[in-house]
mmCIF file of all heavy atoms in Angstrom:
data_model
loop_
_atom_site.group_PDB
_atom_site.id
_atom_site.type_symbol
_atom_site.label_atom_id
_atom_site.label_comp_id
_atom_site.label_asym_id
_atom_site.label_seq_id
_atom_site.Cartn_x
_atom_site.Cartn_y
_atom_site.Cartn_z
ATOM 1 N N ASP A 923 -16.785 -11.723 -4.694
ATOM 2 C CA ASP A 923 -15.686 -10.966 -5.307
ATOM 3 C C ASP A 923 -14.803 -10.283 -4.258
ATOM 4 O O ASP A 923 -13.802 -9.654 -4.614
ATOM 5 C CB ASP A 923 -16.254 -9.889 -6.241
ATOM 6 C CG ASP A 923 -17.050 -10.480 -7.397
ATOM 7 O OD1 ASP A 923 -16.455 -11.243 -8.182
ATOM 8 O OD2 ASP A 923 -18.254 -10.200 -7.495
ATOM 9 N N ALA A 924 -15.167 -10.405 -3.003
ATOM 10 C CA ALA A 924 -14.418 -9.739 -1.933
ATOM 11 C C ALA A 924 -13.187 -10.544 -1.530
ATOM 12 O O ALA A 924 -13.203 -11.777 -1.530
ATOM 13 C CB ALA A 924 -15.318 -9.539 -0.718
ATOM 14 N N LYS A 925 -12.140 -9.825 -1.205
ATOM 15 C CA LYS A 925 -10.966 -10.435 -0.578
ATOM 16 C C LYS A 925 -11.020 -10.072 0.904
ATOM 17 O O LYS A 925 -10.920 -8.901 1.262
ATOM 18 C CB LYS A 925 -9.685 -9.899 -1.211
ATOM 19 C CG LYS A 925 -9.535 -10.242 -2.678
ATOM 20 C CD LYS A 925 -8.276 -9.613 -3.253
ATOM 21 C CE LYS A 925 -8.134 -9.922 -4.734
ATOM 22 N NZ LYS A 925 -6.947 -9.261 -5.335
ATOM 23 N N ILE A 926 -11.186 -11.081 1.749
ATOM 24 C CA ILE A 926 -11.371 -10.841 3.188
ATOM 25 C C ILE A 926 -10.208 -11.455 3.960
ATOM 26 O O ILE A 926 -9.796 -12.590 3.683
ATOM 27 C CB ILE A 926 -12.701 -11.440 3.677
ATOM 28 C CG1 ILE A 926 -13.873 -10.869 2.871
ATOM 29 C CG2 ILE A 926 -12.911 -11.160 5.164
ATOM 30 C CD1 ILE A 926 -15.201 -11.522 3.170
ATOM 31 N N ARG A 927 -9.696 -10.704 4.911
ATOM 32 C CA ARG A 927 -8.609 -11.220 5.743
ATOM 33 C C ARG A 927 -8.717 -10.656 7.145
ATOM 34 O O ARG A 927 -9.321 -9.594 7.364
ATOM 35 C CB ARG A 927 -7.244 -10.868 5.146
ATOM 36 C CG ARG A 927 -7.005 -9.374 4.952
ATOM 37 C CD ARG A 927 -5.752 -9.124 4.115
ATOM 38 N NE ARG A 927 -5.617 -7.740 3.698
ATOM 39 C CZ ARG A 927 -4.852 -6.833 4.304
ATOM 40 N NH1 ARG A 927 -4.147 -7.183 5.391
ATOM 41 N NH2 ARG A 927 -4.763 -5.600 3.842
ATOM 42 N N ASP A 928 -8.144 -11.375 8.087
ATOM 43 C CA ASP A 928 -8.036 -10.875 9.453
ATOM 44 C C ASP A 928 -6.742 -10.079 9.583
ATOM 45 O O ASP A 928 -5.723 -10.407 8.947
ATOM 46 C CB ASP A 928 -8.026 -12.027 10.461
ATOM 47 C CG ASP A 928 -9.381 -12.710 10.569
ATOM 48 O OD1 ASP A 928 -10.406 -12.029 10.393
ATOM 49 O OD2 ASP A 928 -9.421 -13.933 10.805
ATOM 50 N N PHE A 929 -6.800 -9.031 10.392
ATOM 51 C CA PHE A 929 -5.627 -8.180 10.566
ATOM 52 C C PHE A 929 -5.468 -7.876 12.046
ATOM 53 O O PHE A 929 -6.378 -7.316 12.678
ATOM 54 C CB PHE A 929 -5.785 -6.883 9.771
ATOM 55 C CG PHE A 929 -4.619 -5.946 9.895
ATOM 56 C CD1 PHE A 929 -3.470 -6.146 9.141
ATOM 57 C CD2 PHE A 929 -4.659 -4.860 10.763
ATOM 58 C CE1 PHE A 929 -2.394 -5.278 9.252
ATOM 59 C CE2 PHE A 929 -3.595 -3.992 10.885
ATOM 60 C CZ PHE A 929 -2.447 -4.202 10.125
ATOM 61 N N ALA A 930 -4.320 -8.260 12.611
ATOM 62 C CA ALA A 930 -4.052 -7.994 14.024
ATOM 63 C C ALA A 930 -3.497 -6.580 14.166
ATOM 64 O O ALA A 930 -2.350 -6.317 13.824
ATOM 65 C CB ALA A 930 -3.064 -9.012 14.574
ATOM 66 N N TYR A 931 -4.339 -5.662 14.656
ATOM 67 C CA TYR A 931 -3.869 -4.284 14.816
ATOM 68 C C TYR A 931 -3.168 -4.077 16.159
ATOM 69 O O TYR A 931 -2.521 -3.050 16.374
ATOM 70 C CB TYR A 931 -5.019 -3.294 14.648
ATOM 71 C CG TYR A 931 -6.144 -3.412 15.650
ATOM 72 C CD1 TYR A 931 -6.079 -2.767 16.871
ATOM 73 C CD2 TYR A 931 -7.275 -4.169 15.364
ATOM 74 C CE1 TYR A 931 -7.099 -2.871 17.792
ATOM 75 C CE2 TYR A 931 -8.313 -4.278 16.272
ATOM 76 C CZ TYR A 931 -8.221 -3.624 17.477
ATOM 77 O OH TYR A 931 -9.243 -3.735 18.398
ATOM 78 N N SER A 932 -3.300 -5.050 17.071
ATOM 79 C CA SER A 932 -2.579 -5.022 18.346
ATOM 80 C C SER A 932 -2.476 -6.457 18.844
ATOM 81 O O SER A 932 -3.026 -7.388 18.230
ATOM 82 C CB SER A 932 -3.310 -4.156 19.381
ATOM 83 O OG SER A 932 -4.505 -4.788 19.797
ATOM 84 N N ALA A 933 -1.770 -6.631 19.964
ATOM 85 C CA ALA A 933 -1.614 -7.979 20.511
ATOM 86 C C ALA A 933 -2.952 -8.580 20.904
ATOM 87 O O ALA A 933 -3.140 -9.798 20.868
ATOM 88 C CB ALA A 933 -0.674 -7.937 21.718
ATOM 89 N N ALA A 934 -3.906 -7.719 21.254
ATOM 90 C CA ALA A 934 -5.194 -8.219 21.739
ATOM 91 C C ALA A 934 -6.354 -7.937 20.791
ATOM 92 O O ALA A 934 -7.472 -8.379 21.029
ATOM 93 C CB ALA A 934 -5.504 -7.609 23.107
ATOM 94 N N GLY A 935 -6.086 -7.198 19.719
ATOM 95 C CA GLY A 935 -7.192 -6.793 18.865
ATOM 96 C C GLY A 935 -7.038 -7.232 17.421
ATOM 97 O O GLY A 935 -5.939 -7.187 16.851
ATOM 98 N N LYS A 936 -8.140 -7.668 16.825
ATOM 99 C CA LYS A 936 -8.148 -8.057 15.413
ATOM 100 C C LYS A 936 -9.240 -7.306 14.669
ATOM 101 O O LYS A 936 -10.325 -7.079 15.201
ATOM 102 C CB LYS A 936 -8.377 -9.560 15.266
ATOM 103 C CG LYS A 936 -7.146 -10.406 15.490
ATOM 104 C CD LYS A 936 -7.423 -11.854 15.118
ATOM 105 C CE LYS A 936 -6.169 -12.712 15.296
ATOM 106 N NZ LYS A 936 -6.420 -14.128 14.913
ATOM 107 N N ALA A 937 -8.917 -6.925 13.452
ATOM 108 C CA ALA A 937 -9.902 -6.296 12.570
ATOM 109 C C ALA A 937 -10.141 -7.218 11.390
ATOM 110 O O ALA A 937 -9.306 -8.052 11.048
ATOM 111 C CB ALA A 937 -9.384 -4.950 12.077
ATOM 112 N N LYS A 938 -11.291 -7.068 10.771
ATOM 113 C CA LYS A 938 -11.544 -7.745 9.504
ATOM 114 C C LYS A 938 -11.367 -6.712 8.398
ATOM 115 O O LYS A 938 -11.910 -5.614 8.469
ATOM 116 C CB LYS A 938 -12.962 -8.316 9.464
ATOM 117 C CG LYS A 938 -13.096 -9.688 10.100
ATOM 118 C CD LYS A 938 -14.423 -10.337 9.724
ATOM 119 C CE LYS A 938 -14.528 -11.745 10.305
ATOM 120 N NZ LYS A 938 -13.489 -12.644 9.776
ATOM 121 N N ILE A 939 -10.599 -7.072 7.381
ATOM 122 C CA ILE A 939 -10.389 -6.184 6.245
ATOM 123 C C ILE A 939 -10.974 -6.819 4.994
ATOM 124 O O ILE A 939 -10.739 -7.998 4.717
ATOM 125 C CB ILE A 939 -8.894 -5.878 6.036
ATOM 126 C CG1 ILE A 939 -8.345 -5.076 7.225
ATOM 127 C CG2 ILE A 939 -8.663 -5.118 4.735
ATOM 128 C CD1 ILE A 939 -6.872 -4.711 7.102
ATOM 129 N N VAL A 940 -11.738 -6.035 4.250
ATOM 130 C CA VAL A 940 -12.319 -6.502 2.994
ATOM 131 C C VAL A 940 -11.878 -5.566 1.877
ATOM 132 O O VAL A 940 -11.779 -4.352 2.072
ATOM 133 C CB VAL A 940 -13.863 -6.579 3.079
ATOM 134 C CG1 VAL A 940 -14.471 -5.225 3.429
ATOM 135 C CG2 VAL A 940 -14.459 -7.095 1.777
ATOM 136 N N GLU A 941 -11.594 -6.151 0.712
ATOM 137 C CA GLU A 941 -11.169 -5.355 -0.439
ATOM 138 C C GLU A 941 -11.998 -5.724 -1.667
ATOM 139 O O GLU A 941 -12.301 -6.895 -1.905
ATOM 140 C CB GLU A 941 -9.686 -5.592 -0.748
ATOM 141 C CG GLU A 941 -8.746 -5.189 0.379
ATOM 142 C CD GLU A 941 -7.278 -5.342 -0.011
ATOM 143 O OE1 GLU A 941 -7.000 -5.436 -1.232
ATOM 144 O OE2 GLU A 941 -6.426 -5.379 0.887
ATOM 145 N N PHE A 942 -12.370 -4.699 -2.429
ATOM 146 C CA PHE A 942 -13.056 -4.873 -3.707
ATOM 147 C C PHE A 942 -12.335 -4.032 -4.751
ATOM 148 O O PHE A 942 -11.775 -2.982 -4.433
ATOM 149 C CB PHE A 942 -14.510 -4.382 -3.639
ATOM 150 C CG PHE A 942 -15.449 -5.240 -2.848
ATOM 151 C CD1 PHE A 942 -15.777 -4.895 -1.540
ATOM 152 C CD2 PHE A 942 -16.035 -6.366 -3.399
ATOM 153 C CE1 PHE A 942 -16.660 -5.667 -0.803
ATOM 154 C CE2 PHE A 942 -16.927 -7.151 -2.673
ATOM 155 C CZ PHE A 942 -17.239 -6.791 -1.370
ATOM 156 N N GLU A 943 -12.387 -4.489 -6.008
ATOM 157 C CA GLU A 943 -11.863 -3.692 -7.112
ATOM 158 C C GLU A 943 -12.897 -3.638 -8.224
ATOM 159 O O GLU A 943 -13.588 -4.619 -8.492
ATOM 160 C CB GLU A 943 -10.543 -4.273 -7.622
ATOM 161 C CG GLU A 943 -9.406 -4.135 -6.619
ATOM 162 C CD GLU A 943 -8.065 -4.570 -7.201
ATOM 163 O OE1 GLU A 943 -8.035 -5.007 -8.376
ATOM 164 O OE2 GLU A 943 -7.062 -4.479 -6.478
ATOM 165 N N GLY A 944 -13.024 -2.480 -8.854
ATOM 166 C CA GLY A 944 -14.003 -2.284 -9.914
ATOM 167 C C GLY A 944 -14.347 -0.811 -10.010
ATOM 168 O O GLY A 944 -13.540 0.056 -9.658
ATOM 169 N N ASN A 945 -15.542 -0.511 -10.463
ATOM 170 C CA ASN A 945 -16.026 0.870 -10.496
ATOM 171 C C ASN A 945 -16.852 1.126 -9.245
ATOM 172 O O ASN A 945 -17.720 0.326 -8.899
ATOM 173 C CB ASN A 945 -16.875 1.117 -11.741
ATOM 174 C CG ASN A 945 -16.073 0.940 -13.019
ATOM 175 O OD1 ASN A 945 -14.898 1.299 -13.073
ATOM 176 N ND2 ASN A 945 -16.697 0.389 -14.054
ATOM 177 N N PHE A 946 -16.573 2.232 -8.574
ATOM 178 C CA PHE A 946 -17.245 2.543 -7.315
ATOM 179 C C PHE A 946 -18.278 3.633 -7.532
ATOM 180 O O PHE A 946 -18.013 4.642 -8.185
ATOM 181 C CB PHE A 946 -16.220 3.023 -6.280
ATOM 182 C CG PHE A 946 -16.816 3.413 -4.957
ATOM 183 C CD1 PHE A 946 -17.118 2.451 -4.007
ATOM 184 C CD2 PHE A 946 -17.076 4.743 -4.659
ATOM 185 C CE1 PHE A 946 -17.664 2.814 -2.775
ATOM 186 C CE2 PHE A 946 -17.626 5.114 -3.440
ATOM 187 C CZ PHE A 946 -17.918 4.147 -2.503
ATOM 188 N N ASP A 947 -19.463 3.433 -6.972
ATOM 189 C CA ASP A 947 -20.531 4.423 -7.096
ATOM 190 C C ASP A 947 -21.343 4.438 -5.813
ATOM 191 O O ASP A 947 -22.115 3.524 -5.542
ATOM 192 C CB ASP A 947 -21.429 4.086 -8.285
ATOM 193 C CG ASP A 947 -22.494 5.161 -8.543
ATOM 194 O OD1 ASP A 947 -22.544 6.142 -7.777
ATOM 195 O OD2 ASP A 947 -23.276 5.001 -9.497
ATOM 196 N N ASP A 948 -21.146 5.474 -5.010
ATOM 197 C CA ASP A 948 -21.921 5.673 -3.792
ATOM 198 C C ASP A 948 -22.901 6.803 -4.058
ATOM 199 O O ASP A 948 -22.492 7.950 -4.245
ATOM 200 C CB ASP A 948 -20.999 6.035 -2.622
ATOM 201 C CG ASP A 948 -21.759 6.272 -1.319
ATOM 202 O OD1 ASP A 948 -22.997 6.224 -1.338
ATOM 203 O OD2 ASP A 948 -21.106 6.513 -0.289
ATOM 204 N N PRO A 949 -24.216 6.506 -4.116
ATOM 205 C CA PRO A 949 -25.188 7.556 -4.429
ATOM 206 C C PRO A 949 -25.315 8.634 -3.374
ATOM 207 O O PRO A 949 -26.004 9.634 -3.576
ATOM 208 C CB PRO A 949 -26.502 6.782 -4.571
ATOM 209 C CG PRO A 949 -26.308 5.559 -3.736
ATOM 210 C CD PRO A 949 -24.847 5.209 -3.866
ATOM 211 N N GLY A 950 -24.666 8.435 -2.226
ATOM 212 C CA GLY A 950 -24.667 9.486 -1.217
ATOM 213 C C GLY A 950 -25.769 9.389 -0.196
ATOM 214 O O GLY A 950 -25.999 10.311 0.559
ATOM 215 N N MET A 951 -26.486 8.266 -0.129
ATOM 216 C CA MET A 951 -27.579 8.138 0.834
ATOM 217 C C MET A 951 -27.068 8.202 2.260
ATOM 218 O O MET A 951 -27.697 8.780 3.138
ATOM 219 C CB MET A 951 -28.330 6.830 0.600
ATOM 220 C CG MET A 951 -29.092 6.814 -0.714
ATOM 221 S SD MET A 951 -29.982 5.275 -0.978
ATOM 222 C CE MET A 951 -31.231 5.388 0.293
ATOM 223 N N ALA A 952 -25.885 7.605 2.495
ATOM 224 C CA ALA A 952 -25.324 7.636 3.848
ATOM 225 C C ALA A 952 -24.425 8.848 4.041
ATOM 226 O O ALA A 952 -24.474 9.523 5.060
ATOM 227 C CB ALA A 952 -24.539 6.351 4.114
ATOM 228 N N SER A 953 -23.601 9.136 3.032
ATOM 229 C CA SER A 953 -22.631 10.222 3.176
ATOM 230 C C SER A 953 -23.209 11.580 2.817
ATOM 231 O O SER A 953 -22.623 12.614 3.113
ATOM 232 C CB SER A 953 -21.429 9.956 2.264
ATOM 233 O OG SER A 953 -21.816 10.013 0.906
ATOM 234 N N ARG A 954 -24.376 11.590 2.139
ATOM 235 C CA ARG A 954 -25.015 12.801 1.626
ATOM 236 C C ARG A 954 -24.268 13.385 0.446
ATOM 237 O O ARG A 954 -24.657 14.383 -0.134
ATOM 238 C CB ARG A 954 -25.163 13.884 2.712
ATOM 239 C CG ARG A 954 -25.942 13.444 3.929
ATOM 240 C CD ARG A 954 -26.027 14.585 4.924
ATOM 241 N NE ARG A 954 -26.466 14.115 6.217
ATOM 242 C CZ ARG A 954 -26.479 14.870 7.306
ATOM 243 N NH1 ARG A 954 -26.092 16.120 7.241
ATOM 244 N NH2 ARG A 954 -26.889 14.381 8.460
ATOM 245 N N LEU A 955 -23.136 12.773 0.083
ATOM 246 C CA LEU A 955 -22.331 13.286 -1.016
ATOM 247 C C LEU A 955 -22.046 12.154 -1.995
ATOM 248 O O LEU A 955 -21.317 11.231 -1.668
ATOM 249 C CB LEU A 955 -21.011 13.851 -0.481
ATOM 250 C CG LEU A 955 -21.150 15.018 0.496
ATOM 251 C CD1 LEU A 955 -19.816 15.272 1.187
ATOM 252 C CD2 LEU A 955 -21.590 16.263 -0.234
ATOM 253 N N PRO A 956 -22.607 12.194 -3.206
ATOM 254 C CA PRO A 956 -22.345 11.124 -4.162
ATOM 255 C C PRO A 956 -20.873 11.083 -4.564
ATOM 256 O O PRO A 956 -20.241 12.114 -4.767
ATOM 257 C CB PRO A 956 -23.247 11.483 -5.349
ATOM 258 C CG PRO A 956 -23.522 12.936 -5.205
ATOM 259 C CD PRO A 956 -23.497 13.231 -3.739
ATOM 260 N N ILE A 957 -20.302 9.878 -4.652
ATOM 261 C CA ILE A 957 -18.902 9.703 -5.014
ATOM 262 C C ILE A 957 -18.822 8.622 -6.078
ATOM 263 O O ILE A 957 -19.437 7.567 -5.941
ATOM 264 C CB ILE A 957 -18.050 9.276 -3.797
ATOM 265 C CG1 ILE A 957 -18.167 10.303 -2.668
ATOM 266 C CG2 ILE A 957 -16.592 9.114 -4.187
ATOM 267 C CD1 ILE A 957 -17.504 9.858 -1.378
ATOM 268 N N LYS A 958 -18.060 8.878 -7.140
ATOM 269 C CA LYS A 958 -17.870 7.891 -8.198
ATOM 270 C C LYS A 958 -16.391 7.806 -8.555
ATOM 271 O O LYS A 958 -15.709 8.831 -8.648
ATOM 272 C CB LYS A 958 -18.675 8.261 -9.447
ATOM 273 C CG LYS A 958 -20.173 8.088 -9.309
ATOM 274 C CD LYS A 958 -20.858 8.331 -10.652
ATOM 275 C CE LYS A 958 -22.361 8.112 -10.543
ATOM 276 N NZ LYS A 958 -23.042 8.257 -11.862
ATOM 277 N N PHE A 959 -15.904 6.574 -8.747
ATOM 278 C CA PHE A 959 -14.552 6.344 -9.224
ATOM 279 C C PHE A 959 -14.595 5.204 -10.237
ATOM 280 O O PHE A 959 -15.189 4.161 -9.969
ATOM 281 C CB PHE A 959 -13.603 5.936 -8.086
ATOM 282 C CG PHE A 959 -13.307 7.020 -7.087
ATOM 283 C CD1 PHE A 959 -13.855 6.959 -5.816
ATOM 284 C CD2 PHE A 959 -12.459 8.066 -7.398
ATOM 285 C CE1 PHE A 959 -13.575 7.940 -4.876
ATOM 286 C CE2 PHE A 959 -12.179 9.059 -6.463
ATOM 287 C CZ PHE A 959 -12.731 8.991 -5.199
ATOM 288 N N SER A 960 -13.957 5.394 -11.379
ATOM 289 C CA SER A 960 -13.744 4.296 -12.315
ATOM 290 C C SER A 960 -12.414 3.638 -11.969
ATOM 291 O O SER A 960 -11.484 4.305 -11.496
ATOM 292 C CB SER A 960 -13.720 4.813 -13.755
ATOM 293 O OG SER A 960 -14.968 5.392 -14.089
ATOM 294 N N ASN A 961 -12.311 2.333 -12.225
ATOM 295 C CA ASN A 961 -11.082 1.597 -11.906
ATOM 296 C C ASN A 961 -10.646 1.905 -10.479
ATOM 297 O O ASN A 961 -9.568 2.445 -10.237
ATOM 298 C CB ASN A 961 -9.971 1.942 -12.892
ATOM 299 C CG ASN A 961 -8.741 1.064 -12.718
ATOM 300 O OD1 ASN A 961 -8.828 -0.063 -12.200
ATOM 301 N ND2 ASN A 961 -7.586 1.561 -13.126
ATOM 302 N N ALA A 962 -11.522 1.575 -9.551
ATOM 303 C CA ALA A 962 -11.322 1.943 -8.142
ATOM 304 C C ALA A 962 -10.958 0.742 -7.282
ATOM 305 O O ALA A 962 -11.103 -0.426 -7.690
ATOM 306 C CB ALA A 962 -12.593 2.587 -7.598
#
């Protein structure tokens, strides 16, 4: 379900960008702060 693309942020550097759409739910294990968004 991911949309993945390469993105040239400079003449010599490339980043990978991934996008998802849906409901987001981070239980906070990494951030320590739970975050939820509907239609995110």
Side-chain angles (χ1 to χ4, degrees):
D923 298 299
K925 297 177 181 177
I926 303 173
R927 58 191 169 98
D928 290 328
F929 180 80
Y931 62 86
S932 70
K936 280 189 178 181
K938 275 194 177 298
I939 294 181
V940 58
E941 298 184 17
F942 288 99
E943 292 187 358
N945 297 323
F946 178 82
D947 185 358
D948 179 356
M951 292 180 68
S953 66
R954 303 180 194 172
L955 299 167
I957 302 172
K958 288 186 178 184
F959 291 107
S960 298
N961 188 24

